[in-house]
Amino acid sequence: MEGERPAPRPRSAGLPAGGAGAESAGGGAPLPGSRGAPALLQAEVLDLDEDEDDLEVFSKDASLMDMNSFSPVMPTSPLSMINQIKFEDEPDLKDLFITVDEPESHVTTIETFITYRIITKTSRGEFDSSEFEVRRRYQDFLWLKGKLEEAHPTLIIPPLPEKFIVKGMVERFNDEFIETRRKALHKFLNRIADHPTLTFNEDFKVFLTAQAWELSSHKKQGPGLLSRMGQTVRAVASSMRGVKNRPEEFMDMHNFIETFSQKINLIDKISQRIYKEEKEYFDEMKEYGPIHILWSASEEDLVDTLKGVAGCIDKCSKATEKRMYGLSEALLPVVHEYVLYSEMLMGVMKRRDQIQTELDSKVEALTYKKADTDLLKEEIGKLEDKVECANNALKADWERWKENMQNDIKSAFTDMAEENINYYEQCLAIWESFLTSQTDLHLEEASEDKS
Amino acid sequence: MEQAPADRERQLQPAPLEPLGIPDSGLEAAFEEEAEGPQEEGTRDGTMTENNFWLKKMEISVSEAEKRTGRNAMNMQETYTAYLIETRSVEHIDGQSVLTDSLWRRYSEFELLRNYLLVYYPHIVVPPLPEKRAEFVWHKLSADNMDPDFVERRRIGLENFLLRVASHPILCRDKIFYLFLTQEGNWKETVNETGFQLKADSRLKALNATFRVKNPDKRFTELKHYSDELQSVISHLLRVRARVADRLYGVYKVHGNYGRVFSEWSAIEKEMGDGLQSAGHHMDVYAASIDDILEDEEHYADQLKEYLFYAEALRAVCRKHELMQYDLEMAAQDLASKKQQCEELATGTVRTFSLKGMTTKLFGQETPEQREARIKVLEEQINEGEQQLKSKNLEGREFVKNAWADIERFKEQKNHDLKEALISYAVMQISMCKKGIQVWTNAKECFSKM
């Protein structure tokens, strides 16, 4: 292939190449990432992108970004550093493709759980291989989310689907529930992959590539339970004190999130309700058509007309089914994701407030204490930097999130409108063709009578 | 007095059809004018305007409905609805209509008229009245008789009834019908004076005949089956339609909530705000559109309901036939047994058991004079019986002939009307789809501008 970028350098096997179906780590093999991703070829033209693959470049300011992170230093490239401030999405440069599929049930003596297969295809150098296949369960996703939140307290981490849905759950793992969850998990991972910062998170990489036992041991690293608990206690305590000096832009953000959360929840309820009503409409329609057929058995002269009407009703009900399906694919998951996002955002706001509170309390302490002022001042200095970084990170991510939200919502509702238009157009054609056939017959009969 | 068995058989079978004759209604032909369909509420046409023999045309309409309070027969206060019936005669030349009569009637008077027609025209499939109480309602629709929508639909139904009667070649000439349209006061008394209630066949007699009749005309038996099927299938259809309407209503109305929420949301959005707001407006339009759509469908349901009730009218004609046939069979049976008795008395043989025979055995034979007397009486009775049988037979054949003619007329009307109704249903669906496309296209545009 012309213009193909060079294969990633083979690395010593620190981690074995993951899963079946992983291509050889050696050179020469065509990159799976480049199939169907013509953008990669484009990317070559821009010299800048050479660096994305280069793991070796660490940002000096990395320590500032990972305030509470105990995970290994996050590798960043100069380009992604720039992205962290501007967060320009460059979908053309996508080099990480993730799919979540094949839910499987596992039964042990203690419990039953579902694992999902995760296939990752990438051309990035920092990955040992270009293709990985692993199995993960919901708990693992939770862990990943927790780690990401730890590492980036003021970034907007994509939401996970709920743990369980309380109402109407007879069987914990019915097919519909699993499928909805699978799609949401797929979205979750892809959103992380698309995020300019999160995509390079080390825990993320481990999640995608490590075998089960490797993941377990990796999970055990990091802060112990006690220190995590300590953090939580501090967080709760500070949130209870409240934030006095929340800057105006974050006030605006807070207010927006509150209203948005309200509205998106309502829209979620409305959309679910519409789906339910459509389903019940569809169920009734199933009985409606056949009655006309039954009737036609006793009416010699109306057989054509009655059968015609029955046929139209049946076809329209199929169109209804299609519309329902479209709704459940295009609209419901998107709206629901943003319901979860709005909860996330509240959490992000709280964490930002908490960081600021830390600073504020130290400043307050300074005005009262006279001893240890130097130490305090040093701490305050660090905290001020921390607050600034956190605020900047949030601001930038907020803009990015808002833009994404607008696009997603716009897209979802446009699709919904499209589904409805298709539905009505189909039904229109069905009934019009029936009408034409009836009037044609009528004309035929009329001319027969005359002759 | 031998009776050939074949003869007896023939007498019990209904006669084959012969050319149409006018039945004996016992009343003068009412008025010479022929009625024509109305120009308003154009749901009915076609069959109405077919009988166009007369120069002077009549237009009948039930133009208004009014709530009234009054005192009923037990001097208790009651609320009822009165309907204004207007009759216009249309001068042939210049087409201008002149109001000739206008009076108010309530539903019970319509019922009285119909019951009268049922008694005096048992061979006619008498048009049905609109339902007394709202049935097959879906949740939004009120089951209350005083509800304005129900009253309106009933007004249309009553007008339809009058038009059907007026365009019927036989019923339109009835005097009581004419008076119903023209004589406000005293009409009830006039109807009751005809004594039609006494002439009515008792339900019990009719039921009895249905079970016991041996040789009804097969066509009537088939017609009975048909009317049962028609009733059952239309009921079923109306029930399911009501449920479908309910669901459809739900789908549309929930979309209305989008309108409100979008509007509230648009307040916090800068770029998306306008798009959201205007899309929300279209969602409101969509939600509101279902009211008219279902209103139209209700008219369609009413058209089907008319034929649901017609099924009962068909059955009434069948019942009358069974009654007459049973009557005939009983009369023939009675005659046959009398003849047999006579024969036995004459010849002295006792073939069948009779009380007379038994008592004769127990208490001794009767004298020849007594026997002669009895034979004479029997012979008279037999004569009478034969006359009666002849006229009943004739009646029966006339009935079958005329009834079947009206049934054929009815069948054609039914086929035409039901086909039209089904086609109008398709037209309604098409209109609904077009509206849907319109609204969602507008909404899509708003969404894409967000």
Side-chain angles (χ1 to χ4, degrees):
Chain A
M1 275 204 278
E2 282 184 53
E4 195 189 341
R5 61 167 63 226
R9 287 182 303 252
R11 285 173 149 228
S12 59
L15 296 167
E23 311 256 55
S24 61
L31 295 166
S34 58
R35 248 182 265 129
L40 274 177
L41 297 171
Q42 276 178 38
E44 271 183 14
V45 178
L46 306 168
D47 288 330
L48 296 163
D49 296 313
E50 289 293 322
D51 294 333
E52 271 200 22
D53 278 348
D54 194 347
L55 260 185
E56 255 61 53
V57 180
F58 293 125
S59 155
K60 289 183 204 134
D61 300 338
S63 57
L64 284 174
M65 303 313 274
D66 320 329
M67 281 310 120
N68 292 325
S69 168
F70 292 91
S71 61
V73 180
M74 185 174 62
T76 54
S77 65
L79 186 64
S80 63
M81 271 296 294
I82 298 167
N83 279 350
Q84 277 168 351
I85 308 301
K86 268 169 77 188
F87 282 3
E88 271 168 17
D89 272 324
E90 292 157 358
D92 296 341
L93 302 175
K94 193 168 160 128
D95 57 359
L96 187 64
F97 298 85
I98 306 171
T99 53
V100 178
D101 59 11
E102 275 194 22
E104 243 176 47
S105 191
H106 297 257
V107 187
T108 68
T109 44
I110 315 165
E111 54 177 350
T112 310
F113 59 90
I114 305 266
T115 61
Y116 302 84
R117 180 176 76 162
I118 303 178
I119 297 183
T120 310
K121 296 184 185 164
T122 178
S123 57
R124 288 193 197 163
E126 63 263 30
F127 285 79
D128 288 341
S129 167
S130 50
E131 194 168 325
F132 298 89
E133 184 181 317
V134 297
R135 287 212 150 256
R136 298 281 180 254
R137 56 185 291 192
Y138 185 78
Q139 263 181 27
D140 301 328
F141 284 85
L142 271 176
W143 167 85
L144 175 63
K145 174 144 179 269
K147 298 301 282 181
L148 291 173
E149 280 174 346
E150 257 183 69
H152 311 279
T154 56
L155 285 188
I156 301 170
I157 315 291
L160 269 180
E162 290 105 325
K163 247 196 177 135
F164 40 73
I165 303 167
V166 183
K167 74 168 178 174
M169 283 301 274
V170 177
E171 201 189 290
R172 207 167 129 226
F173 297 132
N174 71 51
D175 288 342
E176 215 184 295
F177 174 75
I178 292 171
E179 178 57 18
T180 312
R181 183 179 261 197
R182 183 198 66 76
K183 283 192 239 176
L185 293 174
H186 176 98
K187 201 84 204 273
F188 171 72
L189 292 179
N190 277 284
R191 283 222 191 261
I192 298 173
D194 290 338
H195 193 289
T197 309
L198 298 176
T199 192
F200 297 107
N201 180 284
E202 183 62 26
D203 292 312
F204 181 50
K205 175 159 163 278
V206 170
F207 179 91
L208 291 175
T209 58
Q211 288 308 295
W213 58 268
E214 289 172 318
L215 185 63
S216 310
S217 73
H218 178 87
K219 279 189 191 182
K220 291 196 178 103
Q221 302 169 20
L225 186 63
L226 284 173
S227 65
R228 275 205 297 265
M229 275 179 63
Q231 272 185 354
T232 318
V233 169
R234 271 195 301 241
V236 170
S238 63
S239 72
M240 297 209 27
R241 261 180 273 142
V243 184
K244 292 168 223 153
N245 309 317
R246 191 190 281 154
E248 196 185 313
E249 60 194 324
F250 294 111
M251 278 307 296
D252 292 341
M253 206 185 284
H254 176 88
N255 293 336
F256 181 95
I257 291 168
E258 257 186 17
T259 313
F260 174 80
S261 172
Q262 237 184 40
K263 301 313 160 196
I264 199 70
N265 268 288
L266 282 172
I267 291 186
D268 184 53
K269 284 203 183 78
I270 295 169
S271 309
Q272 303 274 6
R273 180 67 191 273
I274 288 177
Y275 181 82
K276 179 170 165 281
E277 293 285 339
E278 280 189 17
K279 175 138 203 318
E280 293 185 343
Y281 174 66
F282 171 69
D283 287 338
E284 294 294 351
M285 290 285 267
K286 281 193 275 196
E287 207 187 324
Y288 195 31
I291 298 177
H292 294 79
I293 305 269
L294 186 67
W295 191 359
S296 70
S298 50
E299 298 286 346
E300 274 173 23
D301 297 297
L302 295 172
V303 173
D304 283 334
T305 315
L306 284 168
K307 284 197 169 155
V309 171
C312 289
I313 293 174
D314 286 337
K315 288 190 203 133
C316 285
S317 97
K318 285 204 176 67
T320 302
E321 203 178 18
K322 192 163 162 285
R323 171 169 74 162
M324 264 167 53
Y325 181 73
L327 201 70
S328 73
E329 287 287 295
L331 183 70
L332 297 180
V334 173
V335 171
H336 198 68
E337 195 195 11
Y338 278 95
V339 166
L340 298 171
Y341 252 130
S342 69
E343 283 165 32
M344 273 292 320
L345 288 167
M346 305 278 217
V348 171
M349 290 297 296
K350 278 211 178 81
R351 286 198 287 274
R352 191 218 69 87
D353 287 347
Q354 179 199 332
I355 293 172
Q356 183 175 320
T357 308
E358 263 185 76
L359 172 66
D360 290 348
S361 62
K362 285 280 189 275
V363 169
E364 218 183 294
L366 187 67
T367 56
Y368 291 127
K369 273 191 188 168
K370 292 302 167 189
D372 294 336
T373 44
D374 287 337
L375 187 63
L376 265 178
K377 279 192 186 146
E378 201 188 315
E379 283 181 2
I380 286 174
K382 277 206 191 127
L383 283 175
E384 276 174 349
D385 285 341
K386 186 175 170 186
V387 165
E388 196 182 319
C389 267
N391 285 352
N392 288 340
L394 176 55
K395 258 194 286 196
D397 212 18
W398 172 249
E399 289 307 316
R400 177 180 175 270
W401 178 87
K402 263 189 92 169
E403 205 184 305
N404 274 347
M405 183 270 283
Q406 278 167 2
N407 286 335
D408 289 345
I409 295 285
K410 171 176 159 172
S411 191
F413 278 109
T414 310
D415 285 345
M416 172 179 86
E418 187 69 46
E419 282 294 331
N420 278 290
I421 293 173
N422 286 343
Y423 166 74
Y424 282 113
E425 280 181 345
Q426 263 185 295
C427 291
L428 181 67
I430 290 167
W431 284 105
E432 274 185 339
S433 114
F434 165 74
L435 204 64
T436 329
S437 75
Q438 288 298 302
T439 45
D440 282 348
L441 271 174
H442 185 73
L443 290 170
E444 261 176 48
E445 284 165 11
S447 63
E448 269 171 30
D449 290 338
K450 281 179 193 154
S451 59
Chain B
M1 303 250 199
E2 301 278 57
Q3 286 291 328
D7 209 6
R8 198 188 304 165
E9 283 288 288
R10 225 185 318 126
Q11 284 184 336
L12 293 174
Q13 292 279 11
L17 272 181
E18 283 166 68
L20 196 68
I22 296 181
D24 174 31
S25 67
L27 292 164
E28 302 164 350
F31 55 97
E32 305 286 64
E33 296 104 343
E34 189 59 66
E36 194 181 81
Q39 307 314 308
E40 57 255 63
E41 277 89 32
T43 48
R44 302 291 164 195
D45 62 330
T47 46
M48 299 292 178
T49 56
E50 267 163 2
N51 303 316
N52 244 348
F53 308 105
W54 312 98
L55 290 177
K56 239 189 182 178
K57 296 181 209 161
M58 291 268 284
E59 273 175 26
I60 306 175
S61 65
V62 177
S63 45
E64 276 172 52
E66 211 177 74
K67 228 195 225 182
R68 296 226 182 128
T69 43
R71 297 215 166 262
N72 67 5
M74 310 212 290
N75 212 29
M76 280 162 43
Q77 225 189 20
E78 55 167 3
T79 321
Y80 63 91
T81 314
Y83 299 88
L84 180 65
I85 305 176
E86 291 180 322
T87 327
R88 290 181 155 73
S89 92
V90 184
E91 294 297 315
H92 181 65
I93 301 152
D94 52 6
Q96 289 217 313
S97 75
V98 177
L99 185 66
T100 47
D101 285 288
S102 120
L103 40 67
W104 293 86
R105 295 262 184 237
R106 50 186 296 193
Y107 188 84
S108 55
E109 291 174 276
F110 281 85
E111 277 184 312
L112 193 59
L113 172 65
R114 183 161 192 271
N115 289 337
Y116 160 82
L117 291 173
L118 281 171
V119 170
Y120 272 98
Y121 301 90
H123 58 290
I124 300 286
V125 184
V126 178
L129 284 172
E131 53 192 356
K132 191 151 197 185
R133 261 162 279 281
E135 276 175 57
F136 304 110
V137 284
W138 51 282
H139 88 279
K140 167 67 167 59
L141 223 51
S142 172
D144 172 23
N145 279 7
M146 287 295 158
D147 177 66
D149 284 332
F150 177 76
V151 168
E152 173 59 17
R153 289 192 0 258
R154 188 191 256 193
R155 183 192 65 74
I156 294 171
L158 290 173
E159 185 176 275
N160 189 49
F161 167 74
L162 291 177
L163 293 169
R164 290 260 193 227
V165 175
S167 64
H168 191 284
I170 293 163
L171 295 177
C172 68
R173 295 163 212 253
D174 186 275
K175 182 156 192 189
I176 296 287
F177 174 60
Y178 177 71
L179 293 175
F180 180 87
L181 297 172
T182 56
Q183 180 191 74
E184 182 151 27
N186 256 2
W187 177 79
K188 272 209 254 188
E189 287 76 11
T190 314
V191 188
N192 288 328
E193 271 164 23
T194 64
F196 80 93
Q197 277 122 343
L198 301 168
K199 273 189 141 200
D201 299 315
S202 85
R203 265 298 190 180
L204 202 58
K205 238 176 89 182
L207 199 62
N208 185 48
T210 304
F211 283 127
R212 299 232 187 134
V213 69
K214 294 199 188 86
N215 259 328
D217 186 322
K218 280 200 186 68
R219 291 174 297 173
F220 283 94
T221 314
E222 274 168 29
L223 186 68
K224 234 189 1 170
H225 287 317
Y226 168 77
S227 69
D228 288 339
E229 272 171 33
L230 187 71
Q231 181 168 352
S232 144
V233 84
I234 294 185
S235 304
H236 192 190
L237 198 148
L238 286 171
R239 260 198 306 276
V240 178
R241 190 213 71 90
R243 291 205 302 262
V244 170
D246 220 352
R247 293 288 150 228
L248 196 62
Y249 184 78
V251 172
Y252 273 74
K253 285 299 179 191
V254 181
H255 279 87
N257 288 305
Y258 275 145
R260 183 178 50 90
V261 180
F262 281 178
S263 174
E264 290 166 3
W265 185 0
S266 67
I268 56 169
E269 293 286 348
K270 285 185 227 107
E271 303 91 2
M272 257 196 351
D274 290 335
L276 268 179
Q277 178 90 337
S278 41
H281 162 73
H282 291 298
M283 291 295 99
D284 286 333
V285 169
Y286 181 68
S289 67
I290 192 66
D291 293 317
D292 284 343
I293 290 168
L294 288 178
E295 178 75 29
D296 287 345
E297 260 199 38
E298 212 55 48
H299 288 301
Y300 166 71
D302 283 341
Q303 287 174 277
L304 294 184
K305 268 185 220 173
E306 195 193 12
Y307 280 92
L308 176 67
F309 302 141
Y310 256 124
E312 178 54 39
L314 283 174
R315 271 204 295 275
V317 176
C318 294
R319 273 200 300 270
K320 183 68 182 181
H321 165 72
E322 283 169 346
L323 203 61
M324 290 180 78
Q325 180 65 13
Y326 178 68
D327 216 22
L328 188 69
E329 287 171 6
M330 288 291 102
Q333 201 176 309
D334 189 54
L335 185 67
S337 99
K338 284 207 164 74
K339 284 185 179 170
Q340 182 146 43
Q341 269 184 50
C342 206
E343 187 199 317
E344 285 170 15
L345 281 177
T347 61
T349 56
V350 182
R351 256 181 284 156
T352 55
F353 175 81
S354 75
L355 200 55
K356 213 53 190 185
M358 278 305 295
T359 51
T360 321
K361 276 213 153 119
L362 290 170
F363 299 111
Q365 294 237 328
E366 27 169 34
T367 64
E369 295 83 25
Q370 283 173 314
R371 209 196 304 162
E372 274 307 313
R374 279 212 294 136
I375 289 176
K376 233 206 171 80
V377 169
L378 273 174
E379 277 178 350
E380 269 174 43
Q381 288 179 340
I382 286 167
N383 250 328
E384 236 180 85
E386 275 180 342
Q387 292 298 331
Q388 272 193 7
L389 192 67
K390 218 175 183 175
S391 73
K392 274 199 200 269
N393 225 332
L394 200 69
E395 254 183 69
R397 284 186 222 187
E398 277 297 300
F399 177 88
V400 167
K401 178 178 72 190
N402 296 323
W404 210 254
D406 198 51
I407 287 162
E408 290 298 327
R409 181 206 62 81
F410 167 77
K411 275 190 189 162
E412 264 194 58
Q413 173 197 299
K414 166 201 61 124
N415 287 336
H416 175 273
D417 289 348
L418 287 177
K419 184 160 184 180
E420 228 182 60
L422 290 165
I423 289 179
S424 81
Y425 184 73
V427 171
M428 272 184 255
Q429 300 307 302
I430 287 173
S431 152
M432 177 171 94
C433 291
K434 286 189 176 160
K435 279 192 209 170
I437 292 172
Q438 178 83 54
V439 168
W440 283 104
T441 309
N442 290 341
K444 183 178 168 193
E445 218 185 288
C446 296
F447 287 133
S448 58
K449 288 206 185 111
M450 288 197 323

